[in-house]
Amino acid sequence: MRRVIISGGGTGGHIYPALTIARAIAAMEETEFLYVGSRRGLENTLIPKENIPFVTLDVRGLERKISLRNLLTLGKTVAGLVAAKKIIRKFNPHVVIGTGGFVCGPVLLAACLSGIPTLIQEQNVIPGVTNTILSHFVSRIALGYEAAATRFHTKSKLVYTGNPVRREVLTVTKEEGRRILGLDARRFTLVAAGGSRGARSINTAMIMVHEYFKNMDDIQIIHVTGEDEYARVAAALPGIDADGRYGRGSRIVPYLYTMPAALAAADLAVYRAGAVGLAELTVRGVPAILIPYPYAAEDHQRYNAQNLVMHGAAKMILDKMLNGKELLEEIVRLKEDKAALAAMAAAGRALGKPQAAHDIAQLALTLAYGGKQYGECN
């Protein structure tokens, strides 16, 4: 049995890939896992539900300027490194995997200093600060985007795997997705979502979209607003019912637990450009209008979106340019151009990496078995 530490924290964009990789490893080999997260991140809610042993470190991210807070943070980082070394000494893993977030820093560095094989999975075109630093020490780097290779100096460590995607995203058919959501199998289906917390700019622009299509029978819209934004959007659409239904085809909800079904059902998506969301869109071949989050570190969402645009899989509207009219015009144009949608879908599928989780798991197990290709060693 191999022992594996996985570390990733702060946001779902780091945690969900970690869980997907863990499930892929578990499907290949009986494994004992330990998840190391931060005390304040979303992982404190998500990981205990997965029945994975979970411990935390008291660490924080550095600000991009000289400040008193950074001095305090550096102190916590040193303390976190000491604590991480104790965790590693006690658990004695065969490999340590990091999926991003500042908590990965002390965990993977402690593993490197202890001579344990290490792997980081970089989801974005523009690597984060933590992964950029760690790249000089770790054994391997699994890239979510091939274009990210230019951002790393240690080329021999790079492996282009794509970003891991949840199994349920791959297995739901379009017919099943529409049945699960109670959608008409014949209508054009638009899915709009701005992430679990919502995106005010997307939600505001979508109000005009709902109003325009209110009395049309050939389109249905699933709009996920985020919990904090739902009341504001609902108040702007007179006539919305208690279930979030508006007009003849719109359904507006604060959160959707069946997003894999929504992706399967979609003919077109309006999305942010987080790496996990884009990986799911591409493996499903869903054409998309992307509105990158403008405050993401290093503007990485814009670079993620540009990668899809350059390959013909998506259109992009910058957040500062987004309004109801601009978004509506793009939706109407694509809705009426079946050839353009088909070309975008094909381009997306060509970029998608449905085997990414398996390939990353295999890479991790290869490291865990001392570098011998996994599959030849047991």
Side-chain angles (χ1 to χ4, degrees):
M1 179 186 292
R2 300 290 95 174
R3 293 181 299 279
V4 177
I5 285 180
I6 298 185
S7 182
T11 68
H14 295 140
I15 301 162
Y16 290 121
L19 291 174
T20 302
I21 293 167
R23 292 178 189 129
I25 292 173
M28 296 168 68
E29 168 114 354
E30 186 177 357
T31 309
E32 183 180 356
F33 291 103
L34 177 65
Y35 198 107
V36 184
S38 64
R39 290 184 181 176
R40 297 171 180 81
L42 185 61
E43 59 270 30
N44 286 270
T45 301
L46 296 178
I47 301 305
K49 294 178 182 178
E50 297 291 324
N51 295 317
I52 296 175
F54 177 57
V55 295
T56 63
L57 294 178
D58 187 14
V59 292
R60 297 177 184 173
L62 289 169
E63 295 178 343
R64 298 176 185 275
K65 59 183 180 180
I66 299 173
S67 67
L68 177 60
R69 186 179 184 278
N70 267 353
L71 293 176
L72 296 173
T73 298
L74 285 171
K76 285 186 175 293
T77 300
V78 172
L81 180 61
V82 173
K85 289 196 74 171
K86 291 180 180 178
I87 291 169
I88 286 168
R89 191 180 306 118
K90 181 178 180 181
F91 187 72
N92 192 26
H94 294 95
V95 65
V96 177
I97 304 166
T99 58
F102 47 81
V103 69
C104 290
V107 177
L108 272 82
L109 187 56
C112 293
L113 293 173
S114 301
I116 294 167
T118 48
L119 167 69
I120 55 175
Q121 197 269 317
E122 175 53 59
Q123 292 105 37
N124 298 295
V125 173
I126 305 296
V129 173
T130 301
N131 279 357
T132 300
I133 295 170
L134 287 172
S135 68
H136 298 284
F137 303 98
V138 298
S139 308
R140 291 288 185 275
I141 304 162
L143 301 179
Y145 289 93
E146 196 169 15
T150 60
R151 305 282 173 167
F152 291 103
H153 298 295
T154 49
K155 306 299 183 187
S156 62
K157 298 179 181 181
L158 304 180
V159 182
Y160 172 44
T161 59
N163 282 315
V165 173
R166 295 173 288 171
R167 185 181 62 83
E168 51 268 37
V169 171
L170 300 169
T171 55
V172 182
T173 66
K174 184 179 283 284
E175 294 74 21
E176 288 170 339
R178 295 192 175 191
R179 186 174 67 250
I180 290 167
L181 294 169
L183 298 172
D184 189 325
R186 298 163 296 177
R187 289 193 190 188
F188 182 88
T189 302
L190 172 70
V191 174
S196 58
R197 289 180 292 182
R200 173 158 288 204
S201 58
I202 294 176
N203 290 335
T204 299
M206 281 297 298
I207 291 168
M208 182 179 288
V209 175
H210 291 298
E211 292 172 338
Y212 180 85
F213 290 116
K214 179 178 180 180
N215 297 314
M216 296 188 187
D217 292 320
D218 64 339
I219 185 171
Q220 53 200 349
I221 302 171
I222 298 289
H223 177 191
V224 186
T225 64
E227 298 282 356
D228 295 340
E229 281 279 291
Y230 178 77
R232 186 182 69 85
V233 174
L237 295 169
I240 190 172
D241 70 15
D243 294 322
R245 299 191 181 277
Y246 178 78
R248 295 184 181 178
S250 290
R251 184 182 172 205
I252 301 145
V253 295
Y255 189 80
L256 192 65
Y257 291 96
T258 52
M259 276 307 293
L263 283 170
D267 294 304
L268 178 66
V270 176
Y271 251 49
R272 285 297 197 198
V276 174
L278 297 192
E280 294 181 346
L281 288 172
T282 54
V283 297
R284 292 288 335 184
V286 179
I289 301 168
L290 302 175
I291 298 96
Y293 178 57
Y295 305 110
E298 304 291 341
D299 202 17
H300 69 255
Q301 284 207 7
R302 180 167 64 88
Y303 288 92
N304 291 351
Q306 282 178 344
N307 188 70
L308 267 67
V309 172
M310 287 189 299
H311 286 87
K315 304 295 182 181
M316 178 171 64
I317 303 174
L318 294 179
D319 195 87
K320 65 182 179 182
M321 305 296 293
L322 181 66
N323 56 56
K325 181 175 181 292
E326 182 86 11
L327 180 60
L328 177 60
E329 287 178 352
E330 192 68 78
I331 291 169
V332 170
R333 188 182 69 77
L334 289 172
K335 175 178 174 289
E336 301 303 324
D337 192 343
K338 290 183 172 56
L341 284 175
M344 291 171 71
R349 284 191 290 270
L351 286 174
K353 292 283 189 178
Q355 288 291 109
H358 175 273
D359 291 346
I360 297 167
Q362 186 172 52
L363 181 59
L365 287 171
T366 294
L367 291 172
Y369 276 96
K372 188 176 182 181
Q373 181 68 31
Y374 180 74
E376 299 176 357
C377 50
N378 58 352

